[in-house]
PDB file of all heavy atoms in Angstrom:
ATOM      1  N   ARG A  97     -12.579 -28.243 -14.053  1.00  0.00           N
ATOM      2  CA  ARG A  97     -12.897 -26.891 -13.666  1.00  0.00           C
ATOM      3  C   ARG A  97     -12.479 -25.989 -14.783  1.00  0.00           C
ATOM      4  O   ARG A  97     -11.282 -25.970 -15.270  1.00  0.00           O
ATOM      5  CB  ARG A  97     -12.097 -26.418 -12.318  1.00  0.00           C
ATOM      6  CG  ARG A  97     -13.091 -26.475 -11.162  1.00  0.00           C
ATOM      7  CD  ARG A  97     -12.455 -26.136  -9.986  1.00  0.00           C
ATOM      8  NE  ARG A  97     -12.151 -24.693  -9.814  1.00  0.00           N
ATOM      9  CZ  ARG A  97     -11.709 -24.093  -8.669  1.00  0.00           C
ATOM     10  NH1 ARG A  97     -11.742 -24.829  -7.508  1.00  0.00           N
ATOM     11  NH2 ARG A  97     -11.470 -22.771  -8.573  1.00  0.00           N
ATOM     12  N   ARG A 198     -15.722 -30.560   0.530  1.00  0.00           N
ATOM     13  CA  ARG A 198     -16.153 -29.769  -0.705  1.00  0.00           C
ATOM     14  C   ARG A 198     -16.111 -30.757  -1.800  1.00  0.00           C
ATOM     15  O   ARG A 198     -15.110 -31.532  -1.989  1.00  0.00           O
ATOM     16  CB  ARG A 198     -15.148 -28.694  -1.014  1.00  0.00           C
ATOM     17  CG  ARG A 198     -15.272 -27.598   0.044  1.00  0.00           C
ATOM     18  CD  ARG A 198     -14.310 -26.398  -0.294  1.00  0.00           C
ATOM     19  NE  ARG A 198     -14.368 -25.516   0.898  1.00  0.00           N
ATOM     20  CZ  ARG A 198     -13.636 -24.389   0.959  1.00  0.00           C
ATOM     21  NH1 ARG A 198     -12.981 -23.896  -0.161  1.00  0.00           N
ATOM     22  NH2 ARG A 198     -13.718 -23.600   1.989  1.00  0.00           N
ATOM     23  N   GLU A 200     -15.286 -31.090  -4.758  1.00  0.00           N
ATOM     24  CA  GLU A 200     -14.385 -30.388  -5.853  1.00  0.00           C
ATOM     25  C   GLU A 200     -14.696 -31.104  -7.177  1.00  0.00           C
ATOM     26  O   GLU A 200     -14.665 -32.390  -7.203  1.00  0.00           O
ATOM     27  CB  GLU A 200     -12.936 -30.475  -5.428  1.00  0.00           C
ATOM     28  CG  GLU A 200     -12.603 -29.900  -4.252  1.00  0.00           C
ATOM     29  CD  GLU A 200     -12.413 -28.271  -4.436  1.00  0.00           C
ATOM     30  OE1 GLU A 200     -12.433 -27.872  -5.583  1.00  0.00           O
ATOM     31  OE2 GLU A 200     -12.127 -27.541  -3.450  1.00  0.00           O
ATOM     32  N   LEU A 207      -2.463 -33.467  -1.745  1.00  0.00           N
ATOM     33  CA  LEU A 207      -3.303 -32.941  -0.671  1.00  0.00           C
ATOM     34  C   LEU A 207      -3.802 -31.516  -0.878  1.00  0.00           C
ATOM     35  O   LEU A 207      -4.610 -30.995  -0.099  1.00  0.00           O
ATOM     36  CB  LEU A 207      -2.551 -33.015   0.714  1.00  0.00           C
ATOM     37  CG  LEU A 207      -2.075 -34.302   1.156  1.00  0.00           C
ATOM     38  CD1 LEU A 207      -1.133 -34.134   2.463  1.00  0.00           C
ATOM     39  CD2 LEU A 207      -3.231 -35.116   1.619  1.00  0.00           C
ATOM     40  N   PHE A 208      -3.312 -30.878  -1.895  1.00  0.00           N
ATOM     41  CA  PHE A 208      -3.638 -29.506  -2.105  1.00  0.00           C
ATOM     42  C   PHE A 208      -5.106 -29.282  -2.346  1.00  0.00           C
ATOM     43  O   PHE A 208      -5.678 -28.312  -1.869  1.00  0.00           O
ATOM     44  CB  PHE A 208      -2.791 -28.819  -3.384  1.00  0.00           C
ATOM     45  CG  PHE A 208      -3.032 -27.422  -3.482  1.00  0.00           C
ATOM     46  CD1 PHE A 208      -2.452 -26.433  -2.713  1.00  0.00           C
ATOM     47  CD2 PHE A 208      -3.948 -27.079  -4.439  1.00  0.00           C
ATOM     48  CE1 PHE A 208      -2.651 -25.140  -2.905  1.00  0.00           C
ATOM     49  CE2 PHE A 208      -4.314 -25.762  -4.688  1.00  0.00           C
ATOM     50  CZ  PHE A 208      -3.625 -24.739  -3.785  1.00  0.00           C
ATOM     51  N   ARG A 209      -5.643 -30.089  -3.157  1.00  0.00           N
ATOM     52  CA  ARG A 209      -7.130 -29.937  -3.474  1.00  0.00           C
ATOM     53  C   ARG A 209      -7.756 -31.354  -3.272  1.00  0.00           C
ATOM     54  O   ARG A 209      -7.798 -32.048  -4.136  1.00  0.00           O
ATOM     55  CB  ARG A 209      -7.312 -29.441  -4.946  1.00  0.00           C
ATOM     56  CG  ARG A 209      -8.794 -29.012  -5.137  1.00  0.00           C
ATOM     57  CD  ARG A 209      -9.021 -28.311  -6.534  1.00  0.00           C
ATOM     58  NE  ARG A 209      -8.203 -26.999  -6.453  1.00  0.00           N
ATOM     59  CZ  ARG A 209      -8.533 -25.892  -5.794  1.00  0.00           C
ATOM     60  NH1 ARG A 209      -9.618 -26.001  -5.068  1.00  0.00           N
ATOM     61  NH2 ARG A 209      -7.741 -24.902  -5.812  1.00  0.00           N
ATOM     62  N   CYS A 210      -8.322 -31.508  -2.107  1.00  0.00           N
ATOM     63  CA  CYS A 210      -9.018 -32.699  -1.838  1.00  0.00           C
ATOM     64  C   CYS A 210     -10.468 -32.525  -1.524  1.00  0.00           C
ATOM     65  O   CYS A 210     -10.899 -31.291  -1.573  1.00  0.00           O
ATOM     66  CB  CYS A 210      -8.413 -33.561  -0.765  1.00  0.00           C
ATOM     67  SG  CYS A 210      -7.343 -32.718   0.338  1.00  0.00           S
ATOM     68  N   PHE A 213     -10.986 -32.330   4.009  1.00  0.00           N
ATOM     69  CA  PHE A 213      -9.658 -31.710   4.473  1.00  0.00           C
ATOM     70  C   PHE A 213      -9.970 -31.077   5.907  1.00  0.00           C
ATOM     71  O   PHE A 213     -11.136 -31.064   6.292  1.00  0.00           O
ATOM     72  CB  PHE A 213      -9.181 -30.746   3.430  1.00  0.00           C
ATOM     73  CG  PHE A 213     -10.091 -29.528   3.052  1.00  0.00           C
ATOM     74  CD1 PHE A 213     -10.235 -28.418   3.613  1.00  0.00           C
ATOM     75  CD2 PHE A 213     -11.066 -29.847   2.059  1.00  0.00           C
ATOM     76  CE1 PHE A 213     -10.945 -27.417   3.224  1.00  0.00           C
ATOM     77  CE2 PHE A 213     -11.976 -28.873   1.652  1.00  0.00           C
ATOM     78  CZ  PHE A 213     -11.906 -27.678   2.199  1.00  0.00           C
ATOM     79  N   GLN A 215      -9.504 -27.538   8.368  1.00  0.00           N
ATOM     80  CA  GLN A 215      -9.210 -26.206   8.505  1.00  0.00           C
ATOM     81  C   GLN A 215      -8.889 -25.738   9.859  1.00  0.00           C
ATOM     82  O   GLN A 215      -9.447 -26.337  10.899  1.00  0.00           O
ATOM     83  CB  GLN A 215     -10.423 -25.346   8.011  1.00  0.00           C
ATOM     84  CG  GLN A 215     -10.732 -25.501   6.516  1.00  0.00           C
ATOM     85  CD  GLN A 215     -11.961 -24.631   5.980  1.00  0.00           C
ATOM     86  OE1 GLN A 215     -12.882 -24.587   6.712  1.00  0.00           O
ATOM     87  NE2 GLN A 215     -11.675 -24.035   4.860  1.00  0.00           N
ATOM     88  N   GLU A 325      -2.870 -20.317  -2.931  1.00  0.00           N
ATOM     89  CA  GLU A 325      -3.261 -20.056  -1.635  1.00  0.00           C
ATOM     90  C   GLU A 325      -3.075 -21.102  -0.606  1.00  0.00           C
ATOM     91  O   GLU A 325      -3.364 -22.297  -0.822  1.00  0.00           O
ATOM     92  CB  GLU A 325      -4.841 -19.887  -1.772  1.00  0.00           C
ATOM     93  CG  GLU A 325      -5.542 -19.577  -0.456  1.00  0.00           C
ATOM     94  CD  GLU A 325      -7.017 -19.285  -0.608  1.00  0.00           C
ATOM     95  OE1 GLU A 325      -7.462 -18.936  -1.468  1.00  0.00           O
ATOM     96  OE2 GLU A 325      -7.574 -19.533   0.518  1.00  0.00           O
ATOM     97  N   LEU A 326      -2.402 -20.717   0.484  1.00  0.00           N
ATOM     98  CA  LEU A 326      -2.236 -21.678   1.551  1.00  0.00           C
ATOM     99  C   LEU A 326      -3.272 -21.221   2.631  1.00  0.00           C
ATOM    100  O   LEU A 326      -3.857 -22.099   3.287  1.00  0.00           O
ATOM    101  CB  LEU A 326      -0.857 -21.300   2.129  1.00  0.00           C
ATOM    102  CG  LEU A 326      -0.545 -21.878   3.555  1.00  0.00           C
ATOM    103  CD1 LEU A 326      -0.590 -23.447   3.492  1.00  0.00           C
ATOM    104  CD2 LEU A 326       0.883 -21.519   3.798  1.00  0.00           C
ATOM    105  N   GLU A 327      -3.511 -20.035   2.858  1.00  0.00           N
ATOM    106  CA  GLU A 327      -4.438 -19.321   3.793  1.00  0.00           C
ATOM    107  C   GLU A 327      -5.227 -18.350   3.181  1.00  0.00           C
ATOM    108  O   GLU A 327      -4.578 -17.365   2.576  1.00  0.00           O
ATOM    109  CB  GLU A 327      -3.645 -19.075   5.015  1.00  0.00           C
ATOM    110  CG  GLU A 327      -4.437 -18.321   6.127  1.00  0.00           C
ATOM    111  CD  GLU A 327      -3.768 -18.168   7.428  1.00  0.00           C
ATOM    112  OE1 GLU A 327      -2.517 -18.389   7.482  1.00  0.00           O
ATOM    113  OE2 GLU A 327      -4.342 -18.053   8.529  1.00  0.00           O
ATOM    114  N   GLY A 328      -6.499 -18.064   3.381  1.00  0.00           N
ATOM    115  CA  GLY A 328      -7.200 -16.966   3.005  1.00  0.00           C
ATOM    116  C   GLY A 328      -7.475 -16.092   4.267  1.00  0.00           C
ATOM    117  O   GLY A 328      -7.890 -16.649   5.250  1.00  0.00           O
ATOM    118  N   SER A 368      -7.902 -18.177   7.716  1.00  0.00           N
ATOM    119  CA  SER A 368      -8.502 -19.525   7.534  1.00  0.00           C
ATOM    120  C   SER A 368      -7.445 -20.395   6.673  1.00  0.00           C
ATOM    121  O   SER A 368      -7.099 -20.283   5.607  1.00  0.00           O
ATOM    122  CB  SER A 368      -9.693 -19.395   6.570  1.00  0.00           C
ATOM    123  OG  SER A 368     -10.209 -20.617   6.146  1.00  0.00           O
ATOM    124  N   LEU A 369      -6.818 -21.321   7.552  1.00  0.00           N
ATOM    125  CA  LEU A 369      -5.605 -21.924   7.109  1.00  0.00           C
ATOM    126  C   LEU A 369      -5.962 -23.589   7.007  1.00  0.00           C
ATOM    127  O   LEU A 369      -6.514 -24.083   7.918  1.00  0.00           O
ATOM    128  CB  LEU A 369      -4.526 -21.874   8.144  1.00  0.00           C
ATOM    129  CG  LEU A 369      -3.197 -22.505   7.936  1.00  0.00           C
ATOM    130  CD1 LEU A 369      -2.521 -22.069   6.543  1.00  0.00           C
ATOM    131  CD2 LEU A 369      -2.269 -22.150   9.157  1.00  0.00           C
ATOM    132  N   GLY A 370      -5.625 -24.073   5.799  1.00  0.00           N
ATOM    133  CA  GLY A 370      -5.863 -25.503   5.571  1.00  0.00           C
ATOM    134  C   GLY A 370      -4.738 -26.332   6.225  1.00  0.00           C
ATOM    135  O   GLY A 370      -3.500 -26.059   6.087  1.00  0.00           O
ATOM    136  N   ARG A 373      -2.755 -28.397   3.400  1.00  0.00           N
ATOM    137  CA  ARG A 373      -1.812 -27.584   2.680  1.00  0.00           C
ATOM    138  C   ARG A 373      -0.620 -27.061   3.529  1.00  0.00           C
ATOM    139  O   ARG A 373       0.437 -27.141   3.086  1.00  0.00           O
ATOM    140  CB  ARG A 373      -2.486 -26.329   2.091  1.00  0.00           C
ATOM    141  CG  ARG A 373      -3.423 -26.623   1.013  1.00  0.00           C
ATOM    142  CD  ARG A 373      -4.015 -25.515   0.254  1.00  0.00           C
ATOM    143  NE  ARG A 373      -5.200 -25.981  -0.624  1.00  0.00           N
ATOM    144  CZ  ARG A 373      -5.992 -25.129  -1.429  1.00  0.00           C
ATOM    145  NH1 ARG A 373      -5.699 -23.792  -1.351  1.00  0.00           N
ATOM    146  NH2 ARG A 373      -6.997 -25.568  -2.115  1.00  0.00           N
TER     147      ARG A 373
HETATM  148  P1  LIG B 601      -9.019 -22.311  -3.539  1.00  0.00           P
HETATM  149  O1  LIG B 601      -9.191 -20.981  -4.174  1.00  0.00           O
HETATM  150  O2  LIG B 601      -7.643 -22.946  -3.608  1.00  0.00           O
HETATM  151  O3  LIG B 601     -10.148 -23.267  -4.080  1.00  0.00           O
HETATM  152  P2  LIG B 601     -10.528 -21.231  -1.413  1.00  0.00           P
HETATM  153  O4  LIG B 601     -10.319 -19.798  -1.723  1.00  0.00           O
HETATM  154  O5  LIG B 601     -11.882 -21.815  -1.952  1.00  0.00           O
HETATM  155  O6  LIG B 601      -9.124 -22.045  -2.095  1.00  0.00           O
HETATM  156  P3  LIG B 601     -11.006 -21.027   1.268  1.00  0.00           P
HETATM  157  O7  LIG B 601     -12.450 -21.108   1.230  1.00  0.00           O
HETATM  158  O8  LIG B 601     -10.520 -19.635   1.547  1.00  0.00           O
HETATM  159  O9  LIG B 601     -10.268 -21.566   0.159  1.00  0.00           O
HETATM  160  O10 LIG B 601     -10.513 -22.025   2.413  1.00  0.00           O
HETATM  161  C1  LIG B 601      -9.640 -21.701   3.483  1.00  0.00           C
HETATM  162  C2  LIG B 601      -8.430 -22.607   3.316  1.00  0.00           C
HETATM  163  O11 LIG B 601      -8.877 -24.028   3.380  1.00  0.00           O
HETATM  164  C3  LIG B 601      -7.652 -22.550   2.000  1.00  0.00           C
HETATM  165  O12 LIG B 601      -6.621 -21.510   2.015  1.00  0.00           O
HETATM  166  C4  LIG B 601      -6.990 -23.912   2.020  1.00  0.00           C
HETATM  167  O13 LIG B 601      -5.774 -23.975   2.800  1.00  0.00           O
HETATM  168  C5  LIG B 601      -8.026 -24.752   2.560  1.00  0.00           C
HETATM  169  N1  LIG B 601      -8.796 -25.506   1.478  1.00  0.00           N
HETATM  170  C6  LIG B 601      -9.826 -24.949   0.786  1.00  0.00           C
HETATM  171  N2  LIG B 601     -10.242 -25.865  -0.086  1.00  0.00           N
HETATM  172  C7  LIG B 601      -9.398 -27.004   0.070  1.00  0.00           C
HETATM  173  C8  LIG B 601      -9.355 -28.197  -0.642  1.00  0.00           C
HETATM  174  N3  LIG B 601     -10.236 -28.568  -1.594  1.00  0.00           N
HETATM  175  N4  LIG B 601      -8.410 -29.154  -0.296  1.00  0.00           N
HETATM  176  C9  LIG B 601      -7.470 -28.700   0.758  1.00  0.00           C
HETATM  177  N5  LIG B 601      -7.537 -27.593   1.338  1.00  0.00           N
HETATM  178  C10 LIG B 601      -8.454 -26.666   0.967  1.00  0.00           C
END
Side-chain angles (χ1 to χ4, degrees):
R97 254 178 77 167
R198 295 183 188 178
E200 295 281 354
L207 298 175
F208 181 82
R209 187 168 303 286
C210 20
F213 54 97
Q215 293 182 316
E325 175 179 337
L326 165 63
E327 174 166 19
S368 175
L369 177 62
R373 289 188 192 177

